[in-house]
Amino acid sequence: MSLIDTWNRLRRFVSLWFNEFLTFVTMRRLFTRVLTRVLLNESVSPVMVPEAEVHSHGRRKLVVGLGNPGMEGTRHSVGMAVLGALAARLDVADRWRGDKQVSGEVIVSEIQHTHVVLLRPRLLMNINGVSVAKAAGKYGVRPEDVLLVHDELDKPLGKINIKHGGSARGHNGVRSCVDCLQTDVMQRLRVGIGRPTGKTSVERHVLGRFSSEERKLLDSVLVQSVDLLLSQLSQQESKQDPPSSPSSPAGGRGAAQKRKETRASPAEDSSAARS
């Protein structure tokens, strides 16, 4: 067999494999979109008394820990870990309850006179946005008052960051929220998990559990993340509402976005560098 024949066969094989891969990705995205639309069409009743009593004044906030149900200890579900730590700090960890209408677990509470709903979606990461959109509708929360907590590959463990709106940057859970809320104005607390090393795939890395060394640093990350969440919610409450303006529509996501960077303390920085 000549070298040219070998090359042609290899090229046909690669072309066939690539086409099959594109078909698989397209079908998966199509299935996700169809499932999302079906779930969003389910009716959601507005919040009723006594829950409505906490909404008697002021704007409501929705804090969401993105992740995969049943995989709470994995890197991809670190947002759920942060939300659990927040609930513990507020001494309301025993108040989680399932809410079928929003496909998730919720706690309705108050943080320094700010009415807050904590949400842990019980849907897969790729369709977490369905739960977020339903909860926002039920509790009357505007998209700009939604705060998503999620993992971030491009930051090492030990680094956290508040991002004010903008694109999903490849995160499927955030992309689902943007699609379902039809806007990208939601704030995000991005918790660094770092990229995989060696030959470990990204999928295996994010779905894997933290190593023993990482868990030592994770405790301080959770404390720091809760501190930042509480600070962020307090800042929002202290500010007077700006003149009303429509939320960014799905087609207007290119508006300039502010960013507030928050770095770990020097001690934690050095720990992250050694891990």
Side-chain angles (χ1 to χ4, degrees), residues 7-268:
W7 169 250
N8 287 336
R9 287 191 177 188
L10 178 60
R11 187 173 59 180
R12 284 196 297 268
F13 172 79
V14 172
S15 177
L16 179 61
W17 178 88
F18 185 69
N19 287 334
E20 291 292 335
F21 175 74
L22 286 180
T23 300
F24 169 76
V25 171
T26 301
M27 292 302 296
R28 187 173 67 173
R29 288 180 178 174
L30 178 61
F31 175 76
T32 299
R33 289 179 180 178
V34 171
L35 181 59
T36 295
R37 296 309 166 198
V38 170
L39 292 174
L40 282 175
N41 283 335
E42 296 177 355
S43 60
V44 177
S45 302
V47 65
M48 303 295 289
V49 175
E51 291 173 352
E53 293 176 358
V54 301
H55 297 162
S56 57
H57 65 280
R59 289 166 60 174
R60 279 83 74 187
K61 313 293 181 184
L62 176 62
V63 185
V64 186
L66 298 184
N68 283 309
M71 302 183 70
E72 284 81 359
T74 62
R75 296 181 181 90
H76 212 22
S77 297
V78 71
M80 288 184 171
V82 171
L83 210 63
L86 174 60
R89 177 84 67 88
L90 298 174
D91 198 25
V92 295
D94 59 343
R95 287 169 52 184
W96 287 109
R97 63 174 182 79
D99 188 333
K100 293 182 178 180
Q101 286 191 328
V102 304
S103 304
E105 295 176 330
V106 300
I107 292 177
V108 180
S109 186
E110 186 173 295
I111 300 176
Q112 297 184 4
H113 308 296
T114 301
H115 303 308
V116 177
V117 179
L118 309 184
L119 171 66
R120 294 192 300 203
R122 304 309 295 172
L123 299 172
L124 294 177
M125 180 70 88
N126 288 11
I127 53 175
N128 267 192
V130 172
S131 181
V132 176
K134 286 185 174 183
K138 177 174 181 176
Y139 293 98
V141 179
R142 297 187 289 190
E144 54 266 37
D145 292 324
V146 175
L147 202 162
L148 308 175
V149 186
H150 64 88
D151 58 302
E152 176 57 56
L153 272 171
D154 291 329
K155 290 187 178 298
L157 183 64
K159 300 289 185 181
I160 62 175
N161 158 264
I162 285 286
K163 184 174 186 290
H164 296 269
S167 69
R169 296 174 62 92
H171 194 286
N172 290 331
V174 177
R175 180 185 294 115
S176 176
C177 294
V178 170
D179 289 342
C180 292
L181 291 171
Q182 299 184 14
T183 180
D184 62 2
V185 299
M186 298 78 70
Q187 296 184 81
R188 303 92 189 260
L189 171 57
R190 302 188 296 171
V191 182
I193 61 171
R195 286 196 169 273
T197 58
K199 297 182 179 180
T200 304
S201 67
V202 170
E203 182 176 4
R204 183 175 180 180
H205 176 70
V206 299
L207 297 181
R209 296 182 177 274
F210 290 102
S211 67
S212 57
E213 287 298 316
E214 288 175 323
R215 284 196 295 272
K216 295 177 183 178
L217 184 57
L218 181 61
D219 290 339
S220 64
V221 170
L222 296 180
V223 171
Q224 185 186 8
S225 298
V226 171
D227 288 343
L228 184 54
L229 282 175
L230 293 174
S231 174
Q232 190 70 18
L233 292 169
S234 299
Q235 288 177 18
Q236 290 178 349
E237 180 65 17
S238 64
K239 295 177 182 178
Q240 293 185 357
D241 289 348
S244 60
S245 60
S247 300
S248 300
R253 300 172 184 170
Q257 303 291 340
K258 297 179 181 178
R259 284 185 173 85
K260 176 181 177 181
E261 297 286 341
T262 302
R263 298 178 62 85
S265 65
E268 291 168 351

